[in-house]
Amino acid sequence: MTEQANPLTRREKEIIEQLSFGYSAKQISDILFISELTVAKHKSNLFMKLNVNNTPHLVSMALREGLIC
């Protein structure tokens, strides 16, 4: 994981947390009062930062690394 070089933002952590609850981009956008495109961009950034290819891998890595509880 490259978190040291590219620390996650507060919003990125919020996105991961919402994804861990199984929420869709639409649901997350409603909860966080941001657009679905913004959610998608954060997700894309997270995939690159954490070197993962899909949402389940992103969530499992975040849990394993203690990024979310």
Side-chain angles (χ1 to χ4, degrees), residues 35-64:
S35 75
E36 287 182 69
L37 290 175
T38 301
V39 172
K41 181 61 178 170
H42 282 303
K43 233 173 116 174
S44 175
N45 290 342
L46 285 162
F47 285 1
M48 288 189 317
K49 283 184 177 183
L50 299 178
N51 195 30
V52 297
N53 296 318
N54 57 53
T55 301
H57 191 192
L58 171 66
V59 171
S60 68
M61 175 177 278
L63 287 168
R64 186 174 55 249

Side-chain angles (χ1 to χ4, degrees), residues 4-59:
Q4 298 294 342
N6 295 308
L8 299 182
T9 66
R10 176 187 55 83
R11 185 61 93 185
E12 288 170 337
K13 290 177 183 179
E14 290 173 339
I15 298 289
I16 296 173
E17 182 178 23
Q18 298 304 315
L19 290 169
S20 75
F21 297 142
Y23 292 138
S24 67
K26 172 65 174 140
Q27 291 170 311
I28 294 169
S29 72
D30 291 343
I31 291 166
L32 299 179
F33 304 104
I34 58 178
S35 75
E36 287 182 69
L37 290 175
T38 301
V39 172
K41 181 61 178 170
H42 282 303
K43 233 173 116 174
S44 175
N45 290 342
L46 285 162
F47 285 1
M48 288 189 317
K49 283 184 177 183
L50 299 178
N51 195 30
V52 297
N53 296 318
N54 57 53
T55 301
H57 191 192
L58 171 66
V59 171

